[in-house]
Every structure is written in C-alpha cells, then in structure tokens.
C-alpha cells in the first residue's frame, strides 16, 4: 500500500468566536518548522471559516466546515452549502458527524447526498461512522459500521480525495476510548469495504479515528494499523494540546 500522509483534523463543534483564532494562528506558527508534517486541518463553526482561512493563508493548516447542505443554494434558512464553504476558503468538510446523525436525523442517504455535494464544490469530505454503546454491547459494531460505510459513501468518491472517520459514539467527549485491538478491528473492516467499493483507489483514503483523542493517548492510537489520522474534538480547541497530537502523528 502506498504510504499516505496522516490527516489530523480538529472539530471545534459549536465553540469559538473571533478571539479563538489566536489558537489557530499559534498552531500554524508552531508547525512551520516541522520538516515532515502530517496534514493538519481545523474545522471551526461556519462563522469563523472565512476569517480562519484568511488568518491561516500560506500556512500548512487547512480549514474545513463541519456540515453542508446537499443543495448549492436555495430557500433553506440557516443552512450553508458546500459551495459557500469552498468560497469562504474551506478545503474539507465533515459529513454526518454522529451528533448530526443523532440530533438532526441524518441518515446514510443524507450522508451520501452531502458527500456528493462536497465533491461538487471541490471539497474533501470526511465522512463519519461509528456505533453506539448499545450497538457495541449487542455485538453489532461491524454490522453497523459496515452498513454506514456502504450507505454513506457514494460511488462518485472513486478517484477523489476523501477520508472516513471512525468515531464510536460512546467515545466522543467521554474520555473513554476503545482498546487498540478494537480500533484495529474496525479500521481493518472499513479498509476491506473501501477496497471492495473502490478497488485499489480505496487504499488511498485515510481512515481517521475519533473519540476522546488527547495528547496522552494519541501516539498509541495513531500507531494502530490502518489508523490514518485522527478527528479531534475537545483537544483541538487548545493549541498546545492539538499541537501535541499533531506531533504524535
Ligand atoms: P472528542 O470529539 O475528541 O471531544 O471526543 C471527537 C469528535 O466528535 O469528532
């Protein structure tokens, strides 16, 4: 398999006003001297995307959105399109995060439509999947995640840059993480499905792990076979913590 550059993406969720851009600027400044940097991205709330893209222009830190609508424009009060994110300077977009699946009823079909929208706008989608605690305890993890991967990744991804993020719902924001063996099992299963869906091209997409990644556990998690990076929530809000995770990659 070709060596792929890990991707470390920060998901700020609904955190951050203008003053938080100082953290992003500090991160970009500190990473400047790194000779073999991983790919690094920050996904702030929509209100900060344009300002952050401007603040980080010329740096190695890319900017992403946290969600997009399926349509390019229209009467959809409160929504933001993939084209608008791209226009604001985003390069990536998180699709179907479990918080959106749970709170907004985003199904695999909606995830696939939003992924198509991201591709249409030239954005790199980070498509999220992951089981609930009840699903894991019932022994259904691989079934659930497999169904989400097959249903949320449209055929149009063939030959395009994208990432999958495996985020067990019970590990998000809880301080709990799966064992490395559990992470490896799911990541290997996702890789096999990507190979089945996209052939050799499916080998190039990084599979990120997400859920309570922090400076202490990052190195161990990022060493797990088939872990191609991390999607980081809480620990991406502080430059020092996020930088430590980036340096562990
Ligand atoms: P967390 O969130 O790192 O705060 O657990 C991860 C995510 O929701 O992407």
């Amino acid at each position: 398999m070709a060596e792929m550059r890990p991707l470390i993406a920060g998901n700020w969720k609904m955190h951050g006003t203008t003053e938080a851009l100082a953290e992003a600027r500090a991160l970009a400044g500190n990473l400047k001297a790194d000779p073999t940097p991983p790919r690094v991205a920050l996904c702030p709330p929509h209100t900060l995307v344009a300002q952050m893209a401007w603040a980080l222009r010329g740096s190695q830190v890319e900017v992403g959105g946290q969600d997009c609508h399926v349509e390019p424009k229209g009467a959809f009060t409160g929504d933001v399109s993939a084209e608008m994110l791209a226009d604001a300077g985003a390069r990536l977009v998180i699709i179907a995060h479990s918080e959106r699946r749970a709170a907004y009823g985003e199904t695999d079909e909606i995830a696939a439509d939003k992924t198509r929208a991201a591709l249409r706008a030239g954005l790199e989608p980070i498509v999220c999947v992951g089981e609930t605690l009840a699903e894991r305890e019932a022994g259904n993890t691989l079934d659930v995640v497999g169904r989400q991967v097959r249903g949320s990744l449209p055929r149009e991804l063939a030959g395009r840059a994208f990432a999958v993020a495996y985020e067990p719902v019970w590990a998000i924001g809880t301080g709990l993480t799966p064992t490395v063996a559990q992470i490896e099992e799911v990541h290997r299963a996702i890789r096999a499905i990507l190979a089945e869906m996209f052939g050799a091209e499916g080998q190039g997409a990084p599979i990120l792990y997400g859920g309570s990644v922090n400076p202490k556990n990052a190195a161990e998690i990022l060493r797990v076979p088939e872990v191609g990076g991390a999607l980081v929530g809480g620990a991406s809000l502080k430059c020092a913590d996020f930088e430590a995770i980036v340096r562990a990659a």
Side-chain angles (χ1 to χ4, degrees), residues 25-141:
R25 274 196 212 92
L27 176 74
N30 295 352
L31 293 179
K32 224 186 243 161
D34 188 339
T36 55
R39 279 187 73 195
V40 183
L42 283 174
C43 304
H46 291 155
T47 47
L48 287 181
V49 168
Q51 287 182 81
M52 186 183 280
W54 178 252
L56 298 181
R57 70 194 182 284
S59 85
Q60 71 155 105
V61 182
E62 301 172 52
V63 178
Q66 298 176 10
D67 174 47
C68 66
H69 196 274
V70 299
E71 298 293 340
K73 61 182 176 185
F76 303 105
T77 302
D79 276 314
V80 169
S81 72
E83 282 76 1
M84 290 167 178
L85 289 172
D87 179 57
R91 302 268 308 275
L92 311 97
V93 61
I94 297 169
I95 303 284
H97 187 280
S98 66
E99 286 154 13
R100 297 208 58 89
R101 289 182 185 259
Y104 300 93
E106 291 196 4
T107 59
D108 293 337
E109 292 71 32
I110 293 172
D113 286 343
K114 290 189 170 191
T115 300
R116 282 188 202 94
L119 295 177
R120 183 187 66 218
L123 296 178
E124 186 173 331
I126 302 174
V127 184
C128 301
V129 298
E131 82 287 0
T132 62
L133 188 58
E135 288 163 341
R136 176 164 283 277
E137 286 176 348
N140 293 333
T141 298

Side-chain angles (χ1 to χ4, degrees), residues 9 11 13 94 97-99 128 167 171-176 210-214 231-236:
N11 172 11
K13 308 191 180 184
I94 297 169
H97 187 280
S98 66
E99 286 154 13
C128 301
E167 300 203 298
I172 293 176
T174 59
L176 302 172
S212 296
V213 177
N214 62 44
L231 183 54
V232 184
S236 71

Side-chain angles (χ1 to χ4, degrees), residues 5 19 44 48 57 63 106 116 125 157 188 209 211 215 223:
R5 244 170 114 210
E19 64 184 17
L48 287 181
R57 70 194 182 284
V63 178
E106 291 196 4
R116 282 188 202 94
L157 284 171
R188 283 195 188 281
Y209 168 78
R223 268 199 310 269

